[in-house]
Amino acid sequence: MPTNPEDLNRDEQQACLQQLLDKLAKDRYAIAPQPMPAQDPIKRRRTMTEVALGYTETQARLEALRCLQCANAPCMEGCPVRIRIRDFIAEIARGEYGAALAIIKENSLLPAVCGRVCPQEVQCQERCTVGKKFKDVNMSVSIGRLERYVADLAQGGGQTPAVAPPTGKKVAVVGSGPGGIVVAADTRRAGHDVTLFEAFHKPGGVMIYGIPEFRLPKAIAQQEIDVLKKMGVKIVCNFIVGRTRTIEQLMKEDGFEAVYIGVGAGLPKFMGIEGEHLVGVYSANEYLTRANLMRAYEFGKGSDTPITVSKNVAVVGGGNVAMDAARMAVRLGAENVYLVYRRSEAEMPARVEEVHHAKEEGVIFCTLQNPKRILGNADGHVVGMECLRYELGEPDESGRRRPVAIKGSEFVMDVDTVIVAIGNKANPLIQQTTPGLEFNQWGNIVVDENCRTSLKGVYAGGDIVLGAATVILAMGQGRIAAQAINADLAPPT
Amino acid sequence: MLYQITNKKQLSENVFQMDVVAPLVAQARKAGQFVIVSPDAETGERIPLTIAGADPEKGTIRLIFQRVGKTTALMAEIPEGGTLGYVAGPLGRPTHIETFGTVVCVGGGIGVAPLLPIATAMKEAGNKVISILGARSKELLILEEEFTALSDQIVIVTDDGSYGRKALVTEPLKEICAGAPKPDLAVAIGPTIMMKFCCEVTREYAVPTQVSLNTIMVDGTGMCGGCRVEVGGQTKFVCVDGPEFDGHQVNFDLMMRRMNAFKDLEKRALEQYYKEHKCKIGLDRK
Ligand SMILES: Cc1cc2nc3c(=O)[nH]c(=O)nc-3n(C[C@H](O)[C@H](O)[C@H](O)COP(=O)(O)OP(=O)(O)OC[C@H]3O[C@@H](n4cnc5c(N)ncnc54)[C@H](O)[C@@H]3O)c2cc1C
Ligand SMILES: Cc1cc2nc3c(=O)[nH]c(=O)nc-3n(C[C@H](O)[C@H](O)[C@H](O)COP(=O)(O)OP(=O)(O)OC[C@H]3O[C@@H](n4cnc5c(N)ncnc54)[C@H](O)[C@@H]3O)c2cc1C
Ligand code: SF4
Ligand code: SF4
Ligand code: FES
């Protein structure tokens, strides 16, 4: 190959450059995707500590080198908050981890969280050119893992964001989930006097009471809360907006000029089948709250909240929540944990990694099955679950093939605990106590593209607006709402 | 100081009354509402207790609770001047108070405590209030003075006849319902089994009856579904749809079974607690 560009005309130069890039790309394609080091599946069945251990530095740099630095960076389009993925990966490849983190933080406040729990395979990584080349999303650059790597490196050493001089305006944030945390940070940065209200005795939302320790250590969410405190955000727990004070009281009597509602999804759905009131039937929310927030796994050893000690557990559902409940049941000592889902594994909404981890830990997948009724004994305890087998029929409105029950296929599953993880309805508390606020037919708050609600000065985002969503979507809405709040509270110019 | 116990009294062998600093709850609460409390913010269980009264000026609420398990035993140990881990509320829908005419208020055991704010509000709304208070024996009867002061008529019964009439609350309730004019409303609060039988009596006489359900709870805000009951064939959540329901619609049998969900575990926790603390209460109590 000629190496002196002077000897070439422009077209030849271009062709040469392309050749070089192609050669380099082939080399990049040759780097194997770096696997995530994880705790041994047998050992981790009995511990709450995090399963995925995180990349080593060598792994991180190798993985970063797999990125082709695509000119159009299609991955960015897949990220709900448009992180400059290509650029932060380039910094990692160079070993500039601080710079990488700074780029991520332009768009995401919680990289250590998102790197762990984002459904990357249907977001950023789905679009990645490398994955497309191999026609396998699992071959995409592991954007989430890289994000986690740089976030974890900075752990504790992260800087407290600067806060503008006081504006004298008060902002109330209701609910301390990812959306609420972002609104609190972004409005506080603008110099407002911000109070975060949380109904539970600990802030953090689903990151604290729902997503288990073995997937997202509590310490990570806690760190973000600590940063808020350092920034001067007031955090008030055990405060149920709507009951302790209504939104109207907060605005008219307590002087809050803006209120963000980020109360999350509430009310668990049940199946409406016989036996759902038996002892041993839990919603996933209750099961996980007892286990996570209340640390029922330490019952009698530092925690006073009980949870059933089960031998055979059936978890009904196929989403992340179902996986978390099943994996939690394994850790709480169940001998057999069955995951009962009425479609096939291909339709499961849970993240691939979670399904993989659940299987490794011994969760038994019972697909194309669905409960018909739950059986109890004379004391009202669960002793079994009658199920029907299903087959896949024509696609329904969602495009997924509709499961159809096979007549006469009833059989009884021998279980003593049933965990229902089939989703949530909106919590009615805000609706009951906030006249004038517009809700849709499912009880979700209606907002415009700036997260403004039908009430002046009231904003909303996250699961209470989107139905069941994700951490990153809640965060993204928090960002938008905070921008709207800051704009609305800014003095006229 | 927030959640400080400013005043504590033992009302009977296992019933305690405390005033706790919770100014916002004291201001906002209405009859029929409850709080979620925990003796310890780190390790404690969250339990629901009815707000038996409040002093918005002092910023305190009154809780009356029976020592039945570990959490209530821990709370009973906290001295006056000490603090609770936290108090969150007020929760639940307030009682529907209006001028009905004659209201019979039936309270059994510790249920007398949650009944007090409701009876008071009913009286203030201009109703004629007939109270029936029941206890296993004389020593276990609570709030007699308060109820005597507010009621137009009061009947006291004990299981063993050590005080008042020897009867179950359902007996005088039946007589009152059979009388003329019959009462316009009954409110029954007490052990589930008592509420169930009160409802059977009032159903016979077609007297509308409100009950306040005391299911197991975790969050108290409608998130966990642990408090679910069947009312009129539908699943309801006691913490957001209740705690009061039309007693004639409640499936008490299902509810009684659910209440025993953690019985064995709870018993173990309590025994372990007493063993470790060699405490003066002793294990011999029933
Ligand atoms: C078990 C489980 C696993 C999940 N796994 C994933 C995952 O892997 N990846 C992912 O992206 N997403 C996951 N999600 C979804 C994700 O957690 C949510 O979409 C996200 O947390 C929603 O954020 P939010 O801001 O709406 O608030 P939430 O996190 O829902 O928090 C709302 C907070 O508001 C509080 N609150 C409610 N009502 C009131 C009130 N009246 N007053 C004061 N405070 C109130 C609540 O106590 C809570 O703390 C999971 C959810 C669950 C339950
Ligand atoms: C809306 C509401 C209001 C309530 N108000 C009051 C009140 O004003 N005063 C009061 O003393 N109690 C009240 N209760 C009941 C109180 O919450 C329980 O007694 C308490 O949770 C017991 O906790 P523990 O750890 O001490 O006992 P546990 O160890 O939890 O239980 C010990 C024993 O009590 C039984 N038990 C458990 N939960 C309940 C319950 N909810 N009701 C009755 N028995 C139960 C168990 O089966 C077990 O046998 C109320 C409950 C609700 C839902
Ligand atoms: S925030 Fe989530 S979607 Fe966006 S780049 Fe990170 S892992 Fe991907
Ligand atoms: S699409 Fe994939 S390869 Fe291209 S820039 Fe994004 S991460 Fe890198
Ligand atoms: S206590 Fe959790 S939903 Fe009622």
Side-chain angles (χ1 to χ4, degrees):
Chain A
M1 191 190 292
T3 45
N4 187 355
E6 311 269 291
D7 302 341
L8 304 169
N9 66 28
R10 197 177 164 277
D11 284 351
E12 284 168 331
Q13 279 181 25
Q14 286 295 312
C16 179
L17 189 63
Q18 195 55 52
Q19 230 178 342
L20 258 172
L21 280 174
D22 287 350
K23 182 157 180 287
L24 203 56
K26 264 196 213 105
D27 290 344
R28 290 182 184 249
Y29 284 134
I31 306 174
Q34 295 301 300
M36 182 58 126
Q39 265 193 75
D40 178 72
I42 304 296
K43 286 196 195 129
R44 72 180 192 238
R45 293 190 78 217
R46 293 289 181 268
T47 90
M48 289 291 164
T49 48
E50 193 173 10
V51 168
L53 301 170
Y55 276 162
T56 60
E57 181 172 6
T58 316
Q59 279 186 303
R61 288 188 71 173
L62 274 175
E63 187 66 29
L65 284 168
R66 297 184 62 233
C67 171
L68 309 174
Q69 294 294 308
C70 312
N72 56 345
C75 47
M76 258 182 83
E77 288 299 309
C79 170
V81 297
R82 303 280 181 275
I83 289 180
R84 283 168 41 213
I85 296 169
R86 183 193 53 202
D87 301 345
F88 94 74
I89 295 184
E91 296 295 348
I92 295 180
R94 252 180 247 134
E96 296 292 338
Y97 309 117
L101 187 60
I103 293 174
I104 299 171
K105 286 224 162 168
E106 289 168 11
N107 301 65
S108 165
L109 260 189
L110 309 170
V113 176
C114 296
R116 284 174 168 81
V117 305
C118 252
Q120 291 106 7
E121 65 273 7
V122 295
Q123 297 182 353
C124 51
Q125 291 173 200
E126 186 191 31
R127 315 280 179 102
C128 172
T129 317
V130 181
K132 289 264 191 289
K133 156 93 182 167
F134 288 101
K135 298 198 173 56
D136 179 0
V137 68
N138 296 319
M139 293 295 286
S140 296
V141 176
S142 291
I143 300 167
R145 294 172 182 174
L146 291 174
E147 221 171 287
R148 167 182 169 172
Y149 177 75
V150 288
D152 284 0
L153 265 190
Q155 218 180 64
Q159 282 176 349
T160 310
V163 170
T167 59
K169 312 235 175 193
K170 283 171 76 178
V171 175
V173 178
V174 185
S176 58
I181 290 177
V182 169
V183 175
D186 283 0
T187 53
R188 178 67 193 136
R189 270 199 274 207
H192 304 307
D193 177 1
V194 181
T195 309
L196 183 57
F197 295 104
E198 169 55 49
F200 268 131
H201 55 283
K202 278 190 197 143
V206 172
M207 298 184 290
I208 292 288
Y209 73 71
I211 305 180
E213 176 80 16
F214 56 81
R215 203 152 66 80
L216 178 65
K218 307 277 161 288
I220 290 173
Q222 189 54 48
Q223 256 169 33
E224 300 305 331
I225 300 286
D226 290 343
V227 172
L228 289 185
K229 283 188 193 156
K230 278 191 213 140
M231 290 169 74
V233 171
K234 294 171 203 142
I235 299 178
V236 181
C237 288
N238 307 305
F239 191 109
I240 301 109
V241 173
R243 291 263 183 245
T244 311
R245 304 286 282 162
T246 62
I247 289 177
E248 194 180 353
Q249 285 174 318
L250 289 177
M251 300 187 81
K252 290 208 175 130
E253 297 170 26
D254 304 342
F256 288 100
E257 288 176 60
V259 178
Y260 171 82
I261 308 174
V263 294
L267 239 46
K269 278 191 204 158
F270 286 91
M271 299 175 282
I273 59 173
E274 187 186 325
E276 256 179 325
H277 287 261
L278 291 166
V279 177
V281 182
Y282 294 90
S283 75
N285 284 4
E286 179 180 358
Y287 195 78
L288 289 169
T289 303
R290 283 180 182 272
N292 283 321
L293 178 73
M294 307 307 294
R295 295 185 295 123
Y297 57 88
E298 292 174 352
F299 181 68
K301 302 182 290 263
S303 161
D304 292 335
T305 300
I307 197 159
T308 318
V309 181
S310 323
K311 216 165 153 192
N312 299 307
V313 179
V315 179
V316 183
N320 284 326
V321 181
M323 295 304 146
D324 284 344
R327 298 175 67 196
M328 184 58 90
V330 167
R331 284 164 175 76
L332 289 174
E335 285 169 23
N336 297 300
V337 179
Y338 305 98
L339 190 111
V340 181
Y341 181 56
R342 64 196 180 114
R343 301 178 198 251
S344 73
E345 199 177 313
E347 284 87 22
M348 270 190 188
R351 294 183 54 208
V352 180
E353 185 179 277
E354 277 236 48
V355 172
H356 173 70
H357 279 151
K359 284 189 173 165
E360 277 188 344
E361 287 161 14
V363 173
I364 303 157
F365 279 58
C366 307
T367 50
L368 290 167
Q369 298 176 13
N370 207 34
K372 192 177 162 196
R373 62 189 175 119
I374 303 167
L375 313 169
N377 63 13
D379 295 339
H381 282 262
V382 174
V383 293
M385 185 165 88
E386 187 177 283
C387 296
L388 271 170
R389 293 189 195 280
Y390 280 66
E391 57 194 358
L392 291 181
E394 296 300 307
D396 60 13
E397 325 76 69
S398 72
R400 296 185 299 179
R401 291 177 64 194
R402 188 195 300 273
V404 188
I406 303 173
K407 275 218 175 65
S409 65
E410 284 90 348
F411 66 98
V412 173
M413 202 176 259
D414 173 23
V415 293
D416 51 29
T417 303
V418 175
I419 302 171
V420 183
I422 57 168
N424 293 299
K425 289 181 279 188
N427 190 307
L429 223 161
I430 296 289
Q431 188 163 18
Q432 280 174 10
T433 57
T434 316
L437 190 60
E438 195 188 328
F439 290 80
N440 69 16
Q441 55 178 329
W442 299 283
N444 296 113
I445 299 176
V446 177
V447 297
D448 68 8
E449 70 280 6
N450 293 311
C451 291
R452 293 186 179 98
T453 69
S454 57
L455 285 179
K456 191 172 179 314
V458 181
Y459 310 76
D463 283 3
I464 190 64
V465 166
L466 301 167
T470 58
V471 169
I472 190 74
L473 284 172
M475 241 193 61
Q477 285 205 316
R479 264 271 139 95
I480 295 169
Q483 264 169 20
I485 294 172
N486 289 340
D488 294 351
L489 293 187
T493 42
Chain B
M1 200 202 316
L2 213 50
Y3 316 138
Q4 185 172 39
I5 300 167
T6 55
N7 191 351
K8 187 180 169 197
K9 244 170 55 185
Q10 187 160 4
L11 301 186
S12 76
E13 187 196 345
N14 280 316
V15 177
F16 298 80
Q17 169 181 309
M18 44 174 68
D19 292 341
V20 184
V21 178
L24 295 174
V25 183
Q27 256 177 44
R29 72 98 203 187
K30 295 205 174 71
Q33 289 187 301
F34 64 96
V35 284
I36 292 270
V37 304
S38 182
D40 184 305
E42 273 309 308
T43 61
E45 185 183 14
R46 298 166 63 91
I47 64 163
L49 292 175
T50 307
I51 305 165
D55 186 335
E57 239 107 86
K58 284 200 204 132
T60 58
I61 57 168
R62 175 160 295 179
L63 303 177
I64 301 178
F65 63 92
Q66 185 165 17
R67 179 164 57 192
V68 292
K70 179 163 180 192
T71 304
T72 43
L74 284 170
M75 281 181 54
E77 301 275 290
I78 306 175
E80 193 170 285
T83 56
L84 293 178
Y86 49 85
V87 175
L91 297 164
R93 289 171 179 257
T95 309
H96 176 66
I97 304 283
E98 62 170 69
T99 319
F100 295 96
T102 302
V103 180
V104 201
C105 295
V106 191
I110 186 70
V112 170
L115 187 63
L116 181 63
I118 299 172
T120 309
M122 287 294 180
K123 182 69 199 170
E124 279 166 6
N127 291 288
K128 177 179 172 195
V129 172
I130 305 177
S131 302
I132 305 173
L133 306 187
R136 268 188 289 140
S137 65
K138 179 169 198 259
E139 305 77 61
L140 300 178
L141 183 74
I142 55 169
L143 303 179
E144 185 191 349
E145 255 175 59
E146 286 82 347
F147 271 92
T148 310
L150 75 88
S151 312
D152 295 277
Q153 188 188 333
I154 182 164
V155 185
I156 289 173
V157 298
T158 50
D159 292 10
D160 63 359
S162 53
Y163 190 57
R165 222 167 116 177
K166 180 174 191 303
L168 297 174
V169 289
T170 41
E171 261 184 48
L173 176 62
K174 194 174 170 106
E175 291 158 17
I176 291 165
C177 287
K182 74 174 185 196
D184 299 285
L185 180 75
V187 181
I189 308 183
T192 316
I193 187 88
M194 178 207 102
M195 294 192 279
K196 176 184 162 166
F197 284 112
C198 285
C199 288
E200 286 182 8
V201 169
T202 55
R203 183 183 285 123
E204 200 181 313
Y205 296 94
V207 174
T209 305
Q210 277 177 23
V211 293
S212 180
L213 303 184
N214 51 353
T215 48
I216 288 166
M217 291 191 176
V218 182
D219 59 311
T221 63
M223 192 275 292
C224 77
C227 62
R228 66 192 185 278
V229 287
E230 197 181 286
V231 183
Q234 281 187 319
T235 295
K236 295 278 176 188
F237 291 179
V238 173
C239 66
V240 283
D241 300 320
E244 283 168 26
F245 293 96
D246 173 354
H248 295 158
Q249 302 284 323
V250 174
N251 187 333
F252 286 107
D253 295 335
L254 272 185
M255 177 178 158
M256 279 189 281
R257 284 185 189 167
R258 277 191 66 72
M259 300 279 298
N260 288 329
F262 300 106
K263 205 166 190 165
D264 297 342
L265 284 169
E266 282 159 346
K267 198 161 150 243
R268 231 178 51 209
L270 187 66
E271 280 166 3
Q272 191 186 347
Y273 172 70
Y274 283 135
K275 208 160 74 208
E276 282 168 10
H277 296 259
K278 292 210 181 52
C279 120
K280 44 233 172 257
I281 316 162
L283 259 178
D284 46 5
R285 64 195 191 86
K286 275 194 239 64

